[in-house]
Amino acid sequence: MLLQRSTWPEVEAYLQQSDGIIIPIGSTEQHGPTGLIGTDAICAEAIAQGVADRTQALVGPTINVGMALHHLGFPGSVSLRPSTLLQVIVDYLSSLAQHGFRHFYFINGHGGNIATVRAAFAEFYAVAGDRRCPEPDRLRCHLANWFMVPAVTKLARELYGDEEGSHATPSEVALTQFIYPDSIKTAPLTVEVHSSHAIYAADDFRRRYPDGRMGSNPALATPEHGQQFYESAVAELSQSYQAFLAAD
Amino acid sequence: MLLQRSTWPEVEAYLQQSDGIIIPIGSTEQHGPTGLIGTDAICAEAIAQGVADRTQALVGPTINVGMALHHLGFPGSVSLRPSTLLQVIVDYLSSLAQHGFRHFYFINGHGGNIATVRAAFAEFYAVAGDRRCPEPDRLRCHLANWFMVPAVTKLARELYGDEEGSHATPSEVALTQFIYPDSIKTAPLTVEVHSSHAIYAADDFRRRYPDGRMGSNPALATPEHGQQFYESAVAELSQSYQAFLAAD
Amino acid sequence: MLLQRSTWPEVEAYLQQSDGIIIPIGSTEQHGPTGLIGTDAICAEAIAQGVADRTQALVGPTINVGMALHHLGFPGSVSLRPSTLLQVIVDYLSSLAQHGFRHFYFINGHGGNIATVRAAFAEFYAVAGDRRCPEPDRLRCHLANWFMVPAVTKLARELYGDEEGSHATPSEVALTQFIYPDSIKTAPLTVEVHSSHAIYAADDFRRRYPDGRMGSNPALATPEHGQQFYESAVAELSQSYQAFLAAD
Amino acid sequence: MLLQRSTWPEVEAYLQQSDGIIIPIGSTEQHGPTGLIGTDAICAEAIAQGVADRTQALVGPTINVGMALHHLGFPGSVSLRPSTLLQVIVDYLSSLAQHGFRHFYFINGHGGNIATVRAAFAEFYAVAGDRRCPEPDRLRCHLANWFMVPAVTKLARELYGDEEGSHATPSEVALTQFIYPDSIKTAPLTVEVHSSHAIYAADDFRRRYPDGRMGSNPALATPEHGQQFYESAVAELSQSYQAFLAAD
Amino acid sequence: MLLQRSTWPEVEAYLQQSDGIIIPIGSTEQHGPTGLIGTDAICAEAIAQGVADRTQALVGPTINVGMALHHLGFPGSVSLRPSTLLQVIVDYLSSLAQHGFRHFYFINGHGGNIATVRAAFAEFYAVAGDRRCPEPDRLRCHLANWFMVPAVTKLARELYGDEEGSHATPSEVALTQFIYPDSIKTAPLTVEVHSSHAIYAADDFRRRYPDGRMGSNPALATPEHGQQFYESAVAELSQSYQAFLAAD
Amino acid sequence: MLLQRSTWPEVEAYLQQSDGIIIPIGSTEQHGPTGLIGTDAICAEAIAQGVADRTQALVGPTINVGMALHHLGFPGSVSLRPSTLLQVIVDYLSSLAQHGFRHFYFINGHGGNIATVRAAFAEFYAVAGDRRCPEPDRLRCHLANWFMVPAVTKLARELYGDEEGSHATPSEVALTQFIYPDSIKTAPLTVEVHSSHAIYAADDFRRRYPDGRMGSNPALATPEHGQQFYESAVAELSQSYQAFLAAD
Ligand code: NI
Ligand code: NI
Ligand code: NI
Ligand code: NI
Ligand code: NI
Ligand code: NI
């Protein structure tokens, strides 16, 4: 059930059954010569909808611009500053908390978001009361990174070994190929990729990773792999979401 | 051409041809008993893609949560505070301006966004230089509200007369029906609707407009109407976008 | 009744009669070779006092520096950033709302303020409760632009036709001549003025409008015209203010 | 020379002679049963104009709402939060610094502003460069509190002794009587005034100083005294301003 | 070499040798019935000094109040909001970057800081250029959490097994006992401790962990253990710091 | 009693006896060729602990980075911007106010902090209620500058006369020599020192005061003097703190 395609009376009815919501968060950033700039948002959104279908959950609108300052050396990358993204999340959650939502389950597609999202959760718990949300001490947020789910990392290791890398990975590229088979890109991947994971300023990033990839070989990706990743992630995150709702 | 489904080398190539980008901005807010909560984002995004198809333009990711504080009395509405939305827009545009984009054409689906978007444009022009964007004095932003386009308001008047109203209008509902024919909702529209347009705090809004509609009768909407609105808006905004690029 | 020349017991007594206040907002910005830099603040303040005289209303201190970033290419222009002006308005209104004021009627002299003022109203309604203002859902703000009042625009059209332009207009210059007859300036208006209304960054503005005027011929202004504008605006805004107070 | 009543070419010409500007800053706050709410702004503005007349200086628009949070327990008091006032000052000064102004001389009418103004100066020096003001290391700000000028405090002591107090003082009331002889207020001053100077929260302030006065007897004020204060302050601050401009 | 006990010429000389600095960051928060409120700052500071001694590095002043909002249910806990801590770090690093420091190595004593510190690093890289730091693309930050160092976690597992827990742990308590042997506290640890790690709002935290411990038995701590932890952490982090400086 | 070396039950017990806390605030900034960069924090902290010992008071963690923007021209100086420091203080005090602390006594070692600290106090009183601190109208803050205490300034005058100066003074250097006798620095003080006190931007500061001293001769300092200063300050501030607690 998508919030964007629901009416407010439907949400009102939903709140009788559940106080949980799934919020996809991605990014808009270069993903190497062949990866889609929206990869992280596309993946998070698709998996979130898959989880919601399985669990009868509501999915909020995708936060599609995240924290990708280090990718700004590549054209088309768009980023919020951490201080901005933090406020976005606080406003988003405060809105819903006023209606009685209490369990906020983020499905995230981008490692660069993790720190800011976690910081925002902490700020939200403190601010919710200032903003007169009901029962602020009962609010709970959870961040699930689909690409770190054990079933996903296991599959990636089996399929790609070391060539999975850490950015513009074949696993995420495969998933976008499965979701948008008409948007499969090819390009020569001739630049030698580096596998170090240190990330500093945007210009430094581009110098280290000249075509945007970090130790990855996205040419290994196939839509069929993408489907496998999709199914693995949806299955595992559906259980995780239900455990989150059920937990004390 | 969607930024989210492009690669960075594709964007780099695009910038050889054009320094313009279309940015859809909507909202996540109640639209009466039958309107979709994502109506404003859905409409803006679809029209933006239509305009981009006609004009070979690039479309950025949709800003799907806007300024809808006055709708927070209805469950499922989500809003940024104006001060937050302003920063979001500044960050978004600053990112692109660093890559050489200069013409930012917003297609907006929500009246409540107008003030904050315009304020953000002014802030952006001043801040762009601080953030070392190249040639800040050559940056240009334009806000186009699809629902205010003459061809659209004329059509709405013809089809619905006074029953168009000003929120949860049959025109925007028709457009979502055309875009998502599987998400057409029905519900009794028995509450007497008020047609005053004054908008204050969220609780006041709900008291004045108990089911969320403002003077509108969305039961008049049909998907066929929606297609007409879509085509009218796309045609007119395509011309507007090209004029914006061509202007001195 | 001017807040600045009242005592607190007088304000306390006033609040027994009315919960309304008029707030003039202007700008400090170039107005062409002959227009006063304070034009927008001077006009808004004078008209506000005129309205207050007619309606027994209280007038707050003038917000005399507004949003004029696009005029900063001309010496003497002073501007708040939109994000700052927004906070100024929120603080201003929050202070008064704590005392029981509920109807805030802004009389504005500057088009560049409109977006930020409206954004600030929305922020204020949300923030007022966080700041423990009594009955935040009963707070109401209204923005009246004296230069857009029908009686004023009609008069300007009659007197000046196309030479009214849109900045450093003869109508506003006339009004300042009426208010400060000792400050009437003359200068050759030889630069060809442009009538396009597009406004972007400050440097771009100065390039387009080299002497600061936008399509206007302020040489047509006379103090007598100014008096007519004053009386038209005061009459019409007095009715508007009373309607605002009386409205449901 | 008032900035508000000048044109931009006049300011351009002024900058050939001087890079100094005088900025009055006051407050909008209760001043006891008989003091005007605008006292601090009125006094600062009048004295600033007097100084400017003597020194051929330019006077910027008055910052008429200052930091008066502790007075908010009395109706009609309006305050910016310190964090807001700080930004107002930074924006104000940054605007002028872009035009070549370098000496900013504040004439202040309110003790409660001092801390925030000084903090803002420090922030401004650091921020001016970020905002691309020319030669940020040559910017200089000075805060002059008219009520602390030796000639003024000496006169107050002679005229009023201990009854000068520290808020709603006869000296500032006298000055407003001189400036606005039509706005002289009378009221019984029967509440016992306290002379402690500790200031904490607004409610605490009202409890300590129930009619708003702090150890003062404003009934001693006369317009003639006001003139003396005016002339003393103008004379001394004129010298101070010129010394500020001349200093290395 | 402690920055606080050095002179600026000493720092100037140091910068000839190295552009690295170690910055301890802790927290001020409850650590169960027997743990010191300053535990996290005390440990980070001591280890940072140990590392600096070994590596001839400079140590900056300790950030002793961190992100501990979830501990605010216990008296004496002090926290910055994430949005505040982020700005603190950005200001701290911007100051040093202006002097030529480029390698910023944080030694952290508190898990709750991690997200905000990482978010701050990203903000810093972007903001450093706006603030005119030299060569912003060469700035590098690293976050080292002493309690996650392999040698430390191995030792904790050996000494305490499951009783290490995750807050108010015997390892950190032991380290403070080693550092401040005069401040060893004893108290009955009778409350049943919970070992779940979910952390939400402050009130929720106190309900879950009524005496502040999270699954830990700090009664196992001894000063001798503390010395072992100290030496393990210092050895391993010294290598890590040197590798950070040496890295490409 | 140091908060950092106490447990939360000890703080809980303390609150039964007292609602006061002493908060040292210093700075991290150049103090001339021989003064320690941490001088202001070191002095404030030592004196605060001395006062606390005498008065059985609790001492919070030292705010060791303050407002020293004007010193940033010298390597090793670290500063918060005033807007950041203000938020730090508000967060710090809000945390403690939630536990029942009501009297906040700052012992300050740096003149540059005064304005921002006072501004922060005003902001705190207003914000405390928004953040749901209990009884916000009973919160009280006091700023005590140890170097301005009569006993201290008298002693400095006696010992050093005009050579006390106003920055990197022999009195504060003496105090650090008493506290850290192993960190006594010597260097030739050959640069002619200027005694003007005007402070503007950082680059201007360095130009005026090329070795960082402002009219001072720290070579006069001795550890014995330092002890005298320490004892004078502790004695006088202990009385002041007790008077603050006892006051109505
Ligand atoms: Ni990705
Ligand atoms: Ni809509
Ligand atoms: Ni105007
Ligand atoms: Ni006053
Ligand atoms: Ni800890
Ligand atoms: Ni000092």
Side-chain angles (χ1 to χ4, degrees):
Chain A
M1 179 179 173
L2 299 181
L3 181 61
Q4 295 288 60
R5 294 194 210 156
S6 305
T7 65
W8 73 259
E10 289 170 346
V11 175
E12 192 170 59
Y14 173 88
L15 279 162
Q16 301 302 315
Q17 313 301 324
S18 173
D19 62 6
I21 187 167
I22 297 172
I23 299 171
I25 179 166
S27 186
T28 297
E29 66 186 42
Q30 69 82 17
H31 270 78
T34 58
L36 307 184
I37 284 175
T39 296
D40 298 348
I42 291 165
C43 294
E45 185 169 292
I47 291 169
Q49 295 183 5
V51 171
D53 285 349
R54 281 220 190 176
T55 61
Q56 265 80 279
L58 189 65
V59 181
T62 302
I63 300 176
N64 46 35
V65 177
M67 209 310 289
L69 290 171
H70 46 299
H71 292 294
L72 287 184
F74 294 88
S77 298
V78 179
S79 181
L80 302 184
R81 292 191 166 183
S83 51
T84 303
L85 179 55
L86 189 152
Q87 293 302 333
V88 166
I89 294 170
V90 167
D91 284 2
Y92 192 132
L93 299 183
S94 299
S95 300
L96 293 169
Q98 289 177 33
H99 305 142
F101 287 95
R102 282 181 184 157
H103 285 84
F104 304 96
Y105 189 86
F106 279 64
I107 292 185
N108 177 37
H110 174 48
N113 289 336
I114 294 173
T116 303
V117 170
R118 289 195 190 288
F121 288 173
E123 187 111 358
F124 168 58
Y125 297 129
V127 166
D130 303 0
R131 297 190 175 185
R132 297 158 299 138
C133 296
E135 296 188 277
D137 56 311
R138 298 190 58 184
L139 300 170
R140 296 187 187 179
C141 302
H142 183 84
L143 175 63
N145 302 293
W146 78 264
F147 52 96
M148 290 181 176
V149 154
V152 166
T153 54
K154 179 165 174 292
L155 181 60
R157 209 161 35 241
E158 288 167 8
L159 292 172
Y160 313 126
D162 278 356
E163 295 184 89
E164 166 71 355
S166 60
H167 181 66
T169 60
S171 58
E172 63 183 344
V173 169
L175 184 46
T176 61
Q177 290 179 344
F178 168 62
I179 300 168
Y180 290 120
D182 293 344
S183 295
I184 298 178
K185 312 292 170 103
T186 55
L189 297 175
T190 53
V191 175
E192 190 192 355
V193 293
H194 293 276
S195 54
S196 145
H197 293 182
I199 295 178
Y200 306 112
D203 289 350
D204 179 82
F205 187 99
R206 180 136 193 188
R207 205 159 38 221
R208 285 169 193 270
Y209 311 106
D211 72 355
R213 291 176 296 147
M214 298 176 76
S216 68
N217 181 5
L220 303 177
T222 70
E224 293 70 29
H225 292 169
Q227 183 167 6
Q228 289 178 270
F229 284 111
Y230 174 79
E231 286 166 2
S232 299
V234 167
E236 197 155 330
L237 292 175
S238 294
Q239 289 193 318
S240 161
Y241 175 64
Q242 283 170 323
F244 174 58
L245 291 185
D248 174 34
Chain B
M1 180 180 171
L2 300 181
L3 180 62
Q4 296 288 59
R5 295 194 210 157
S6 305
T7 66
W8 74 259
E10 288 170 346
V11 175
E12 193 171 58
Y14 173 88
L15 279 162
Q16 301 301 314
Q17 313 300 326
S18 173
D19 62 6
I21 187 167
I22 297 172
I23 300 170
I25 179 167
S27 185
T28 298
E29 65 186 44
Q30 68 80 18
H31 270 78
T34 58
L36 307 185
I37 285 175
T39 295
D40 298 347
I42 291 165
C43 294
E45 185 170 292
I47 291 169
Q49 295 183 5
V51 171
D53 284 349
R54 281 219 189 177
T55 62
Q56 264 81 279
L58 188 65
V59 181
T62 303
I63 300 176
N64 46 35
V65 177
M67 208 312 287
L69 289 172
H70 46 298
H71 292 295
L72 287 184
F74 295 88
S77 298
V78 179
S79 181
L80 302 185
R81 293 189 165 184
S83 51
T84 303
L85 180 54
L86 189 152
Q87 293 303 333
V88 166
I89 293 170
V90 167
D91 283 1
Y92 192 131
L93 298 183
S94 300
S95 299
L96 292 169
Q98 289 177 33
H99 305 142
F101 286 95
R102 282 180 184 157
H103 285 84
F104 304 96
Y105 189 86
F106 279 64
I107 293 185
N108 176 36
H110 173 49
N113 289 336
I114 294 173
T116 303
V117 170
R118 288 196 191 288
F121 287 173
E123 186 111 359
F124 169 58
Y125 297 130
V127 166
D130 304 359
R131 296 190 177 187
R132 298 158 299 136
C133 297
E135 298 188 276
D137 56 311
R138 297 190 60 185
L139 300 171
R140 296 187 188 178
C141 303
H142 182 84
L143 176 63
N145 303 294
W146 78 264
F147 52 95
M148 291 183 177
V149 154
V152 166
T153 54
K154 178 165 175 293
L155 181 61
R157 209 161 36 241
E158 288 168 7
L159 292 173
Y160 313 126
D162 278 356
E163 296 183 271
E164 167 71 354
S166 59
H167 182 67
T169 61
S171 59
E172 62 183 344
V173 168
L175 184 45
T176 60
Q177 290 179 345
F178 167 62
I179 300 167
Y180 291 119
D182 293 344
S183 295
I184 299 177
K185 311 290 170 103
T186 54
L189 297 175
T190 51
V191 175
E192 190 191 356
V193 292
H194 294 276
S195 54
S196 146
H197 292 184
I199 295 178
Y200 305 113
D203 289 350
D204 179 82
F205 186 99
R206 180 138 193 185
R207 202 158 40 219
R208 283 169 194 271
Y209 311 106
D211 74 354
R213 292 176 296 147
M214 297 177 77
S216 69
N217 181 5
L220 302 177
T222 70
E224 293 71 29
H225 293 169
Q227 183 168 6
Q228 289 177 272
F229 285 111
Y230 174 80
E231 286 166 2
S232 299
V234 166
E236 197 155 328
L237 292 175
S238 294
Q239 289 193 317
S240 162
Y241 175 65
Q242 284 170 323
F244 173 59
L245 290 185
D248 172 35
Chain C
M1 180 181 173
L2 300 181
L3 181 61
Q4 296 286 62
R5 295 195 211 155
S6 305
T7 65
W8 73 259
E10 288 170 345
V11 175
E12 192 172 59
Y14 173 88
L15 279 163
Q16 302 301 314
Q17 313 301 324
S18 174
D19 62 6
I21 188 167
I22 297 173
I23 300 170
I25 178 166
S27 186
T28 297
E29 66 186 43
Q30 69 82 16
H31 271 78
T34 58
L36 308 184
I37 285 175
T39 295
D40 298 348
I42 290 165
C43 294
E45 186 169 290
I47 290 169
Q49 294 182 7
V51 171
D53 285 348
R54 282 220 189 176
T55 62
Q56 267 80 277
L58 188 65
V59 181
T62 302
I63 299 176
N64 46 35
V65 177
M67 208 312 288
L69 290 172
H70 46 299
H71 292 294
L72 287 184
F74 294 88
S77 298
V78 179
S79 181
L80 302 185
R81 293 190 165 184
S83 51
T84 303
L85 179 54
L86 188 153
Q87 292 303 333
V88 167
I89 294 171
V90 167
D91 284 1
Y92 192 132
L93 299 183
S94 300
S95 300
L96 293 169
Q98 289 176 33
H99 305 143
F101 287 95
R102 281 181 185 158
H103 286 84
F104 305 96
Y105 189 86
F106 279 64
I107 292 186
N108 176 36
H110 173 48
N113 288 337
I114 295 174
T116 303
V117 171
R118 288 196 191 288
F121 287 174
E123 187 111 358
F124 169 58
Y125 296 130
V127 165
D130 303 358
R131 295 189 177 187
R132 295 158 300 135
C133 296
E135 297 188 278
D137 56 312
R138 297 189 58 183
L139 300 170
R140 295 185 188 180
C141 303
H142 182 84
L143 176 63
N145 303 295
W146 78 264
F147 52 97
M148 291 182 177
V149 155
V152 166
T153 56
K154 179 165 174 293
L155 182 60
R157 209 161 35 239
E158 288 166 9
L159 293 172
Y160 312 127
D162 279 356
E163 295 184 271
E164 166 71 355
S166 58
H167 182 67
T169 62
S171 57
E172 62 183 344
V173 169
L175 184 44
T176 61
Q177 291 179 343
F178 168 62
I179 299 167
Y180 290 119
D182 294 342
S183 294
I184 298 178
K185 313 290 169 104
T186 54
L189 297 175
T190 51
V191 175
E192 188 191 357
V193 292
H194 293 277
S195 54
S196 146
H197 293 182
I199 295 178
Y200 306 113
D203 288 351
D204 179 83
F205 186 98
R206 181 138 194 187
R207 202 158 42 219
R208 284 169 193 270
Y209 311 107
D211 73 355
R213 291 175 297 146
M214 298 176 76
S216 68
N217 181 6
L220 303 177
T222 70
E224 294 70 30
H225 292 168
Q227 183 167 6
Q228 289 178 270
F229 284 112
Y230 173 80
E231 286 166 2
S232 298
V234 167
E236 197 155 328
L237 292 175
S238 294
Q239 288 194 317
S240 162
Y241 174 65
Q242 284 170 323
F244 174 58
L245 290 184
D248 173 33
Chain D
M1 180 180 172
L2 299 181
L3 180 62
Q4 296 288 59
R5 295 195 211 157
S6 306
T7 65
W8 73 258
E10 289 170 345
V11 175
E12 193 171 58
Y14 173 89
L15 279 162
Q16 302 301 313
Q17 313 301 324
S18 172
D19 61 6
I21 187 166
I22 298 172
I23 299 171
I25 179 166
S27 185
T28 297
E29 66 187 43
Q30 69 81 17
H31 271 77
T34 59
L36 307 185
I37 285 175
T39 295
D40 299 347
I42 291 164
C43 295
E45 187 169 291
I47 291 169
Q49 296 182 6
V51 171
D53 284 348
R54 283 219 189 176
T55 62
Q56 266 81 277
L58 187 66
V59 180
T62 303
I63 300 177
N64 46 35
V65 177
M67 208 311 288
L69 290 172
H70 47 298
H71 293 294
L72 287 184
F74 294 88
S77 297
V78 179
S79 181
L80 302 185
R81 293 190 165 185
S83 51
T84 302
L85 179 55
L86 187 153
Q87 293 302 333
V88 166
I89 294 170
V90 167
D91 284 2
Y92 192 132
L93 299 182
S94 299
S95 300
L96 293 169
Q98 289 177 33
H99 306 141
F101 287 96
R102 281 181 185 157
H103 285 85
F104 305 96
Y105 189 85
F106 279 65
I107 293 185
N108 177 37
H110 173 49
N113 289 337
I114 295 173
T116 302
V117 171
R118 289 196 191 289
F121 288 173
E123 186 111 358
F124 169 58
Y125 297 129
V127 165
D130 304 357
R131 295 189 176 187
R132 297 158 299 136
C133 296
E135 298 187 277
D137 56 312
R138 297 189 59 184
L139 301 170
R140 296 188 188 177
C141 303
H142 183 84
L143 176 63
N145 304 294
W146 78 264
F147 53 95
M148 290 182 178
V149 154
V152 166
T153 55
K154 179 166 174 292
L155 181 60
R157 209 162 33 241
E158 288 168 10
L159 292 172
Y160 313 127
D162 279 355
E163 296 183 89
E164 166 72 353
S166 59
H167 182 67
T169 62
S171 58
E172 62 183 343
V173 169
L175 184 44
T176 62
Q177 290 179 344
F178 168 62
I179 300 167
Y180 291 119
D182 293 344
S183 295
I184 299 178
K185 312 291 170 104
T186 53
L189 297 175
T190 50
V191 174
E192 188 192 357
V193 292
H194 294 277
S195 55
S196 146
H197 292 183
I199 295 179
Y200 306 113
D203 288 350
D204 179 81
F205 186 98
R206 180 138 193 186
R207 204 158 38 217
R208 284 169 194 270
Y209 311 106
D211 73 355
R213 291 176 296 147
M214 297 176 77
S216 69
N217 181 6
L220 303 177
T222 71
E224 295 70 28
H225 291 169
Q227 184 168 5
Q228 288 177 269
F229 284 112
Y230 174 80
E231 287 165 2
S232 300
V234 166
E236 196 154 329
L237 292 175
S238 294
Q239 289 193 316
S240 162
Y241 175 64
Q242 284 170 322
F244 174 58
L245 290 185
D248 171 35
Chain E
M1 178 181 173
L2 298 182
L3 180 62
Q4 296 288 61
R5 294 194 212 157
S6 305
T7 66
W8 72 259
E10 289 170 345
V11 175
E12 192 170 57
Y14 174 87
L15 280 162
Q16 303 301 315
Q17 313 301 325
S18 172
D19 61 6
I21 187 168
I22 297 173
I23 300 170
I25 179 166
S27 185
T28 297
E29 65 186 43
Q30 67 82 16
H31 270 78
T34 59
L36 307 184
I37 284 175
T39 295
D40 298 347
I42 291 165
C43 295
E45 186 169 292
I47 291 169
Q49 295 183 5
V51 171
D53 285 348
R54 282 218 190 176
T55 62
Q56 266 80 279
L58 188 65
V59 181
T62 302
I63 300 176
N64 46 35
V65 177
M67 209 311 288
L69 291 172
H70 46 298
H71 292 295
L72 287 184
F74 294 88
S77 298
V78 179
S79 181
L80 303 184
R81 292 190 166 184
S83 51
T84 302
L85 179 55
L86 188 152
Q87 293 302 333
V88 166
I89 294 170
V90 166
D91 284 2
Y92 192 132
L93 298 184
S94 300
S95 300
L96 293 170
Q98 289 177 33
H99 305 142
F101 287 96
R102 282 182 184 155
H103 285 85
F104 305 96
Y105 189 86
F106 279 64
I107 293 185
N108 177 37
H110 174 48
N113 289 336
I114 295 173
T116 302
V117 171
R118 289 195 191 288
F121 287 173
E123 187 111 359
F124 169 58
Y125 297 130
V127 166
D130 304 358
R131 295 190 175 186
R132 297 158 299 136
C133 296
E135 299 188 276
D137 56 311
R138 296 188 60 184
L139 300 170
R140 297 188 188 177
C141 302
H142 183 83
L143 176 63
N145 302 293
W146 77 264
F147 52 96
M148 291 183 177
V149 154
V152 166
T153 54
K154 178 164 174 292
L155 181 60
R157 210 162 33 241
E158 287 167 11
L159 291 173
Y160 313 125
D162 279 356
E163 296 183 89
E164 167 71 355
S166 58
H167 182 65
T169 61
S171 58
E172 63 183 343
V173 169
L175 184 45
T176 62
Q177 289 179 345
F178 168 63
I179 300 167
Y180 291 121
D182 293 343
S183 294
I184 298 178
K185 312 290 169 105
T186 53
L189 298 174
T190 50
V191 175
E192 189 191 357
V193 293
H194 295 275
S195 54
S196 146
H197 292 183
I199 295 178
Y200 307 113
D203 288 350
D204 179 82
F205 186 99
R206 180 137 193 187
R207 203 158 39 219
R208 284 170 194 270
Y209 311 107
D211 74 355
R213 291 176 296 147
M214 298 177 77
S216 69
N217 181 7
L220 304 177
T222 70
E224 293 70 30
H225 292 168
Q227 183 167 5
Q228 289 178 271
F229 284 112
Y230 174 79
E231 287 166 1
S232 299
V234 166
E236 196 154 329
L237 292 175
S238 294
Q239 288 193 317
S240 161
Y241 174 65
Q242 284 170 322
F244 173 59
L245 290 185
D248 171 36
Chain F
M1 180 179 171
L2 300 180
L3 180 61
Q4 296 287 62
R5 295 195 210 154
S6 304
T7 65
W8 73 259
E10 288 170 345
V11 175
E12 193 171 58
Y14 174 88
L15 279 162
Q16 302 302 313
Q17 313 300 325
S18 173
D19 61 7
I21 186 166
I22 298 172
I23 300 170
I25 179 167
S27 186
T28 297
E29 65 187 43
Q30 69 82 15
H31 270 77
T34 58
L36 307 185
I37 285 177
T39 295
D40 298 347
I42 291 165
C43 294
E45 185 170 292
I47 291 169
Q49 295 182 7
V51 171
D53 284 349
R54 280 221 191 175
T55 61
Q56 266 80 279
L58 188 65
V59 180
T62 302
I63 300 177
N64 47 35
V65 177
M67 209 311 288
L69 290 172
H70 46 300
H71 292 294
L72 288 184
F74 294 88
S77 298
V78 179
S79 181
L80 302 185
R81 294 190 164 182
S83 51
T84 302
L85 180 54
L86 187 152
Q87 293 303 333
V88 166
I89 293 170
V90 167
D91 284 1
Y92 192 132
L93 298 183
S94 299
S95 300
L96 292 170
Q98 289 176 33
H99 306 142
F101 286 95
R102 281 180 185 159
H103 285 85
F104 304 97
Y105 189 86
F106 279 64
I107 293 185
N108 177 37
H110 173 48
N113 289 336
I114 295 173
T116 302
V117 170
R118 288 198 191 287
F121 288 173
E123 186 112 359
F124 169 58
Y125 297 129
V127 166
D130 304 359
R131 296 191 175 184
R132 295 158 300 135
C133 296
E135 298 188 278
D137 57 311
R138 298 189 60 184
L139 301 171
R140 296 186 187 179
C141 302
H142 183 84
L143 176 63
N145 303 294
W146 78 265
F147 52 96
M148 291 183 176
V149 155
V152 166
T153 56
K154 178 164 175 292
L155 181 59
R157 209 161 36 240
E158 288 167 9
L159 292 172
Y160 312 127
D162 279 354
E163 296 184 89
E164 166 72 355
S166 59
H167 181 66
T169 61
S171 58
E172 61 183 345
V173 168
L175 184 44
T176 61
Q177 290 179 344
F178 168 61
I179 300 167
Y180 291 119
D182 293 343
S183 295
I184 298 178
K185 312 290 170 105
T186 55
L189 297 175
T190 52
V191 175
E192 189 192 357
V193 292
H194 295 276
S195 56
S196 145
H197 293 182
I199 295 178
Y200 306 113
D203 288 351
D204 179 82
F205 186 99
R206 180 137 193 186
R207 204 158 39 218
R208 284 170 193 270
Y209 311 107
D211 73 354
R213 290 176 296 147
M214 298 177 77
S216 68
N217 181 6
L220 303 177
T222 69
E224 293 69 30
H225 292 169
Q227 183 168 6
Q228 289 178 269
F229 285 112
Y230 173 79
E231 286 167 3
S232 299
V234 166
E236 196 155 328
L237 292 175
S238 294
Q239 287 193 319
S240 163
Y241 174 65
Q242 283 169 324
F244 174 58
L245 290 185
D248 173 34

